[in-house]
Amino acid sequence: MGSQGGFGQSKEFLDLVKSIGEARSKSEEDRIVLHEIEMLKRRINEPDIPKRKMKEYIIRLVYIEMLGHDASFGYIHAVKMTHDDSLLLKRTGYLAVTLFLNEDHDLIILIVNTIQKDLKSDNYLVVCAALNAVCKLINEETIPAVIQQVVELLGHPKEGVRKKAVMALHSFYQRSPSSVNHLVSHFRKKLCDNDPGVMGATLCPLYDLITIDVNLYKDLVVSFVNILKQVAERRLPKSYDYHQTPAPFIQIKLLKTLALLGSGDKKSSEQMYTVIGDIMRKSDTTSNIGNAILYECICCISSIQPSPKLLETAADAIAKFLKSDSHNLKYMGIDALGRLIRISPDIAEQHQLAVIDCLEDPDDTLKRKTFELLYKMTKSSNVEVIVDRMIDYMISINDSHYKTETASRCVELAEQFAPSNHWFIQTMNKVFQHAGDLVNPKVAHNLMRLIAEGFGEDDESADSQLRSSAVESYLKIVDEPKLPSAFLQVICWVLGEYGTADGKYSASYISGKLCDVAEAHSSDDIVKAYAVSALMKVYCFEKAAGRKFDLLPECHTLLEEMSASHSSDLQQRAYEFQAILDLDSNSIDNIMPLDASCEDIEIDKTLSFLNTYVHKSLEEGAEPYIPENQRSGTLTVIPNIPFDTSSHSLRFEAYEVPKPVVPTRPPPPTTTTYPTDLVPVSVSLPEPSYHQPARFSGPVPDPSPTDLRLRLDGVQKKWGKPSYTSSATSSSTSNFDFNRTTVNGPTQPDNVVVPKARESRHVEVSEEKQKLAASLFGGTSSSSSSRSEKKQPVAATASSKRPATAVAAQPPPPPPPDLLDLGEMSGYSTVVDPFKQLEGLLDVSQGGSTSSSSSIPTNGHDQNLLIINEKDDFTPVNGSPNVSNKTTATLTKGPSLKDALDKDALVRQMGVNPTSQNPNLFSDLLS
């Protein structure tokens, strides 16, 4: 077949598939594919390629993409093939583009028109191919172009077209729910379609809609129950059977939907009881698909209002799962049991030994699922056995994720159901010791707070007993190596607060242990900080009690080392330690009170103890304090208001631009004459400021000749738009850049018979297992001790949406005009005259007439914009008379200004930039 090109493909393509299948490494496969890509790049662009050959090339490109390589060079050819009149080529093109492209690809716009045409075709195979592309490629922007045609296809005589139309509308809903909200009634109608395939396809969008709002579809409960009953009674054609089970996937989807509709609704649930019971009796437990339907029935029973008869049937089904030799069925049984014990905790008693077997099973996944079940079954009577088992499991695993999860569950159960204080402390020690730093840091702080506050209500003896047991347990473990940092912090804090409280241990013994901790963990600054603070508490409590003490040599060494530490926190703690020891006992008792870590601290927010100092300062002329709410209202920027030097408020006007040093020269005459290659300016505009608005009106004084200076110290290039680095130009943001518009455009065989469980299993149970089962499940009949006793954590998610910011009415100030870009000057209005930047670099020596204006128009569009014509004349936009460059002027630049200008111009025309600044750069560029 390969030699003759089986399935219509060439021998070359079949050899490619064979060579890739026989490749022994990924590198060899990549080499073969890259060679194929290079060959296709050459062949696919050849002229006059036969259609049959192009079809094969497209299929080879699909094969290359499936192997994970890039074939984007051939995407356009697949798009072109969708336009072909041949049905075979068109379907090949649609298959390729649905695999190549996604809904945001740029080539989508090229096939929308083709899809619209094909949706109107008389050949239903063409329509089906177009609908397949619609489901995959149509995005939110192109939905309106095809949605009406898709709705019309819901009434097509071919059931395959109707089914694909429903699927297309479902994809539209997933992308843009608002575009299909008015078409929900069509889904209800198609639920009654004569073809079971169309009805089954309609269940998917209806399930999504019911998930969002259940109450809108309560009336469909009767319809769903009737459909499920007909399916279970085998009224559907034989073609819908799978492993002799009638339409199992439709049954599963219907059961999921009924579970949503019956949750918390007794009336709706009562309508489902009969059909669910019939399905559970008729289900085939010898196949995987039959067990899947049975499991879904149990899930539905656990969601709707409970029925005692159905609960008993579900318990029997769970027993079959747990007694099976298949790990998959055991897993399903454990999961289903976890769902049912929420409704009836007594069910767990029937499966004690089965749960113990799963707990000891070598399958790690099954063991984890069993621990989840035990976590839901925990109460005060079995918390010790379950938590000890969970800690043993946590020690045996290496996966950090599951170790963290198991540790957090152990902590949660210990906090809620701890039978005694001593057990709680020991359990926390085991968790910290074996889980390490994977324990949440909040657990450490909660443990310290719990020890400080105590368990007993106004029972000091119980609290002191708790702290004494904590101190004893921590003194036994403190010398063990590789303790986690969070656990060491708890140990140091407890030893510092309560190490000498009961008088059983001396201050020297406790301080020696703390010094050993700091020395053994010298690289952990947080542990050292906790150790020093604990040492300070120990000695302060001794001095406040009037007992004599001497600092250990190890403590002296530690303080000297930390006083020279690079960490400012450790330095501060060391110096505070040394300073506090020099105080008297009364002061220390006030600074470090005994067992006051949880006492409320009264804070005087008004700082009334400073009133005397405040009154004295006000009498001496100090300014009164202004509250923050009043202060924030006074920070209003008011432009063009002279600054009052007597006030102490902040200034918001811009600093003056520094002017470069200019050689002194005699004051220029009143009449200003410009050089021949410059043009007089009719209007002088003010220097741009940080606070000036974009448009303004009012008289503007004429600038003095000494203000004329061109600042080009930041120019980085000669041609094009310059980039300035000076403070005056970099402070403005370019607001006249032209806006650019972008057009956004497997199912395994199930006929294996599961062997029945051995009937003698309950006889062979060991005595140890019976004790364990009694510990885990004892007293489960009491409904008051169920999982509902536990505190339900409240997860509050605060979502804050930022309101849309209103657009400021006043536009931002425009940046300085581009002095070197002369091609776009008419596209915007400017408020800064470009010649204002000549500021003093020109020394005018001859008189001349200059037309000037003392005011500028208020409207930015009426300002005179200068346009350079070919004759070097400057023509105002508003029709002002042309000003020719007939005025002569001389510049005082060295002995011969004209020679210097000619030399600079010649050098710049040759493309050589002088190293020094040229004051006439502006005139050279314009000329």
Side-chain angles (χ1 to χ4, degrees):
M1 183 182 65
S3 62
Q4 298 176 0
F7 301 107
Q9 307 303 327
S10 65
K11 183 178 182 300
E12 186 179 1
F13 177 53
L14 297 176
D15 290 341
L16 171 66
V17 177
K18 182 180 179 181
S19 62
I20 291 178
E22 294 176 353
R24 297 185 178 182
S25 63
K26 185 66 169 63
S27 59
E28 183 180 354
E29 177 186 315
D30 293 343
R31 179 181 56 80
I32 298 173
V33 174
L34 291 177
H35 180 268
E36 179 72 11
I37 290 174
E38 293 299 326
M39 185 192 66
L40 287 176
K41 283 182 179 179
R42 293 193 308 267
R43 293 187 181 182
I44 206 169
N45 292 320
E46 294 176 356
D48 301 330
I49 302 178
K51 292 184 177 180
R52 182 176 176 275
K53 208 69 177 175
M54 180 60 74
K55 171 177 170 291
E56 181 183 329
Y57 291 161
I58 297 299
I59 294 176
R60 291 161 80 166
L61 289 174
V62 171
Y63 188 57
I64 290 173
E65 283 269 335
M66 290 169 60
L67 293 174
H69 294 265
D70 182 29
S72 56
F73 62 91
Y75 288 178
I76 188 63
H77 298 282
V79 173
K80 291 179 181 179
M81 189 168 285
T82 61
H83 303 165
D84 202 283
D85 295 332
S86 172
L87 175 61
L88 184 59
L89 295 178
K90 182 183 287 290
R91 295 182 69 180
T92 304
Y94 274 126
L95 173 64
V97 295
T98 52
L99 294 175
F100 288 158
L101 310 181
N102 56 61
E103 60 180 21
D104 298 323
H105 201 277
D106 296 338
L107 295 177
I108 294 298
I109 198 69
L110 299 179
I111 64 173
V112 172
N113 195 22
T114 307
I115 291 176
Q116 289 178 324
K117 183 185 71 173
D118 291 340
L119 288 176
K120 299 177 182 178
S121 175
D122 295 334
N123 191 336
Y124 77 97
L125 294 176
V126 175
V127 179
C128 290
L131 286 173
N132 288 337
V134 165
C135 295
K136 180 72 185 299
L137 301 180
I138 296 299
N139 53 28
E140 185 175 357
E141 296 177 357
T142 53
I143 284 177
V146 298
I147 188 171
Q148 190 59 38
Q149 294 175 282
V150 174
V151 173
E152 293 174 358
L153 291 175
L154 290 174
H156 198 277
K158 283 291 183 179
E159 62 276 0
V161 176
R162 300 198 302 271
K163 177 181 177 180
K164 292 183 182 296
V166 171
M167 295 167 63
L169 290 178
H170 187 201
S171 68
F172 294 165
Y173 175 78
Q174 291 174 335
R175 288 176 173 84
S176 176
S178 59
S179 63
V180 195
N181 282 339
H182 63 288
L183 302 174
V184 174
S185 60
H186 292 280
F187 294 139
R188 288 174 172 263
K189 293 177 182 178
K190 291 294 106 181
L191 191 63
C192 303
D193 196 279
N194 294 329
D195 186 74
V198 180
M199 179 270 301
T202 312
L203 293 176
C204 297
L206 283 176
Y207 179 80
D208 291 348
L209 292 168
I210 293 172
T211 304
I212 296 174
D213 192 351
V214 178
N215 296 324
L216 294 178
Y217 303 92
K218 289 288 187 179
D219 58 320
L220 293 178
V221 172
V222 179
S223 300
F224 289 136
V225 169
N226 288 333
I227 294 174
L228 184 58
K229 183 179 180 181
Q230 295 179 44
V231 174
E233 292 176 353
R234 299 181 178 272
R235 296 188 183 182
L236 268 64
K238 286 288 185 181
S239 58
Y240 289 91
D241 288 1
Y242 179 79
H243 285 270
Q244 301 178 356
T245 303
F249 304 106
I250 294 180
Q251 292 190 53
I252 291 174
K253 181 61 73 173
L254 284 169
L255 288 169
K256 288 179 179 288
T257 308
L258 291 176
L260 292 176
L261 293 171
S263 179
D265 190 347
K266 184 178 181 180
K267 181 180 179 181
S268 299
S269 299
E270 289 175 349
Q271 299 174 353
M272 310 173 190
Y273 290 160
T274 304
V275 66
I276 295 177
D278 291 342
I279 293 176
M280 295 188 71
R281 285 193 301 270
K282 295 177 181 179
S283 60
D284 183 15
T285 57
T286 60
S287 64
N288 283 341
I289 194 64
N291 289 322
I293 296 176
L294 194 57
Y295 169 77
E296 202 60 51
C297 288
I298 298 174
C299 294
C300 184
I301 293 171
S302 63
S303 299
I304 64 177
Q305 287 291 317
S307 167
K309 197 171 182 179
L310 285 180
L311 289 175
E312 184 180 351
T313 308
D316 294 339
I318 291 175
K320 294 178 181 179
F321 288 156
L322 294 176
K323 293 176 182 179
S324 172
D325 293 334
S326 172
H327 285 167
N328 294 332
L329 295 182
K330 285 184 178 180
Y331 187 94
M332 289 171 54
I334 292 293
D335 184 79
L337 185 59
R339 294 173 182 267
L340 285 187
I341 60 173
R342 301 173 185 172
I343 304 172
S344 177
D346 300 338
I347 296 180
E349 291 184 4
Q350 307 172 17
H351 313 288
Q352 305 177 33
L353 301 178
V355 172
I356 298 299
D357 290 338
C358 294
L359 195 62
E360 298 175 352
D361 198 280
D363 190 340
D364 198 54
T365 307
L366 180 59
K367 189 181 296 185
R368 290 172 185 170
K369 197 66 179 178
T370 309
F371 276 117
E372 291 182 12
L373 172 64
L374 295 180
Y375 170 72
K376 300 173 184 178
M377 296 167 49
T378 305
K379 50 192 175 183
S380 56
S381 60
N382 59 6
V383 63
E384 299 181 50
V385 181
I386 293 179
V387 171
D388 289 343
R389 284 274 181 161
M390 294 176 72
I391 291 177
D392 293 340
Y393 173 69
M394 180 185 67
I395 298 173
S396 64
I397 60 177
N398 297 321
D399 192 300
S400 59
H401 172 73
Y402 287 108
K403 182 170 285 191
T404 304
E405 182 181 3
T406 307
S408 62
R409 287 180 173 180
C410 291
V411 171
E412 181 184 351
L413 296 177
E415 288 179 351
Q416 294 185 12
F417 304 107
S420 64
N421 301 339
H422 179 74
W423 179 87
F424 176 79
I425 297 295
Q426 297 297 327
T427 302
M428 290 295 101
N429 294 348
K430 291 180 182 179
V431 172
F432 276 112
Q433 194 170 357
H434 298 290
D437 295 324
L438 297 176
V439 184
N440 195 326
K442 293 182 180 180
V443 176
H445 295 288
N446 292 339
L447 177 58
M448 289 186 285
R449 185 183 63 192
L450 198 62
I451 295 175
E453 293 177 349
F455 285 102
E457 298 179 358
D458 300 330
D459 189 358
E460 293 296 333
S461 61
D463 295 343
S464 61
Q465 182 183 0
L466 167 67
R467 294 157 187 165
S468 299
S469 62
V471 171
E472 290 180 4
S473 61
Y474 290 154
L475 287 175
K476 293 178 181 178
I477 346 175
V478 69
D479 295 329
E480 293 186 7
K482 296 182 180 181
L483 291 176
S485 177
F487 192 29
L488 287 169
Q489 296 169 24
V490 175
I491 292 176
C492 292
W493 185 86
V494 171
L495 293 181
E497 285 281 345
Y498 309 107
T500 59
D502 55 356
K504 187 176 181 179
Y505 300 99
S506 63
S508 301
Y509 180 74
I510 299 296
S511 58
K513 290 290 185 180
L514 292 171
C515 290
D516 294 341
V517 171
E519 182 181 358
H521 302 83
S522 57
S523 60
D524 194 337
D525 289 348
I526 301 180
V527 173
K528 291 173 68 176
Y530 269 84
V532 171
S533 297
L535 284 170
M536 182 167 57
K537 292 177 184 178
V538 170
Y539 286 113
C540 285
F541 295 158
E542 290 295 304
K543 189 168 185 179
R547 293 189 287 266
K548 294 183 179 181
F549 65 92
D550 293 325
L551 283 180
L552 296 178
E554 297 91 337
C555 188
H556 280 292
T557 306
L558 179 62
L559 290 177
E560 292 175 0
E561 176 189 348
M562 294 178 60
S563 300
S565 174
H566 294 288
S567 173
S568 58
D569 179 49
L570 295 180
Q571 279 192 12
Q572 180 180 351
R573 292 173 188 263
Y575 286 122
E576 287 177 354
F577 190 179
Q578 296 172 357
I580 288 178
L581 290 179
D582 296 335
L583 300 176
D584 55 70
S585 59
N586 293 330
S587 302
I588 291 179
D589 193 19
N590 291 328
I591 297 174
M592 288 284 186
L594 182 64
D595 192 19
S597 56
C598 292
E599 297 293 334
D600 296 331
I601 302 176
E602 296 182 1
I603 301 176
D604 186 5
K605 296 184 179 180
T606 61
L607 305 180
S608 57
F609 59 90
L610 295 176
N611 287 340
T612 305
Y613 173 77
V614 172
H615 291 316
K616 182 179 179 181
S617 300
L618 290 175
E619 291 174 357
E620 295 176 355
E623 289 286 338
Y625 173 76
I626 302 176
E628 185 178 359
N629 55 352
Q630 301 178 14
R631 199 184 325 137
S632 60
T634 60
L635 301 181
T636 305
V637 181
I638 306 178
N640 300 329
I641 294 181
F643 175 68
D644 185 8
T645 57
S646 63
S647 66
H648 296 277
S649 59
L650 298 175
R651 296 182 58 180
F652 292 95
E653 58 269 13
Y655 292 106
E656 295 181 359
V657 180
K659 298 180 175 58
V661 180
V662 182
T664 57
R665 56 181 181 273
T670 306
T671 306
T672 305
T673 304
Y674 291 93
T676 56
D677 51 353
L678 293 178
V679 180
V681 184
S682 60
V683 177
S684 298
L685 300 179
E687 191 71 25
S689 170
Y690 290 98
H691 65 278
Q692 286 179 342
R695 299 176 182 177
F696 56 90
S697 60
V700 180
D702 294 338
S704 61
T706 58
D707 292 338
L708 296 175
R709 185 176 298 105
L710 181 64
R711 297 187 301 275
L712 295 173
D713 53 314
V715 177
Q716 297 178 356
K717 55 185 179 180
K718 181 176 180 181
W719 306 114
K721 296 185 179 182
S723 57
Y724 294 95
T725 57
S726 60
S727 61
T729 58
S730 63
S731 63
S732 301
T733 307
S734 177
N735 293 326
F736 47 85
D737 289 338
F738 292 99
N739 295 329
R740 301 174 180 175
T741 306
T742 304
V743 181
N744 293 331
T747 303
Q748 59 182 355
D750 299 318
N751 52 3
V752 181
V753 178
V754 181
K756 295 184 179 181
R758 291 185 300 270
E759 300 295 337
S760 60
R761 173 175 299 183
H762 64 281
V763 181
E764 300 175 0
V765 176
S766 63
E767 184 178 356
E768 182 181 356
K769 274 189 180 181
Q770 293 179 0
K771 291 182 179 179
L772 179 59
S775 302
L776 291 175
F777 300 91
T780 53
S781 60
S782 176
S783 59
S784 61
S785 60
S786 62
R787 176 66 181 165
S788 60
E789 295 177 356
K790 296 181 60 176
K791 302 177 183 178
Q792 298 295 335
V794 181
T797 57
S799 61
S800 57
K801 296 184 179 178
R802 184 175 300 176
T805 309
V807 181
Q810 186 170 343
D818 245 328
L819 299 181
L820 302 182
D821 190 3
L822 304 177
E824 302 293 334
M825 292 183 63
S826 61
Y828 57 89
S829 60
T830 180
V831 296
V832 181
D833 192 87
F835 294 94
K836 177 69 173 66
Q837 303 200 11
L838 291 174
E839 296 180 340
L841 290 179
L842 306 177
D843 187 10
V844 185
S845 60
Q846 292 186 3
S849 61
T850 304
S851 60
S852 63
S853 174
S854 61
S855 64
I856 61 174
T858 306
N859 189 359
H861 297 286
D862 296 334
Q863 299 174 5
N864 293 337
L865 299 178
L866 302 181
I867 302 178
I868 303 177
N869 57 21
E870 297 178 357
K871 300 179 181 180
D872 292 336
D873 294 337
F874 285 74
T875 305
V877 174
N878 294 339
S880 302
N882 296 341
V883 184
S884 304
N885 294 337
K886 299 180 181 180
T887 308
T888 60
T890 59
L891 300 175
T892 60
K893 177 186 177 184
S896 176
L897 178 59
K898 188 174 184 303
D899 294 341
L901 287 174
D902 293 340
K903 181 179 178 181
D904 287 345
L906 179 61
V907 169
R908 294 186 182 279
Q909 290 176 3
M910 295 173 65
V912 181
N913 292 327
T915 56
S916 61
Q917 285 189 354
N918 181 14
N920 296 291
L921 174 60
F922 184 75
S923 60
D924 292 344
L925 293 176
L926 290 183
S927 61

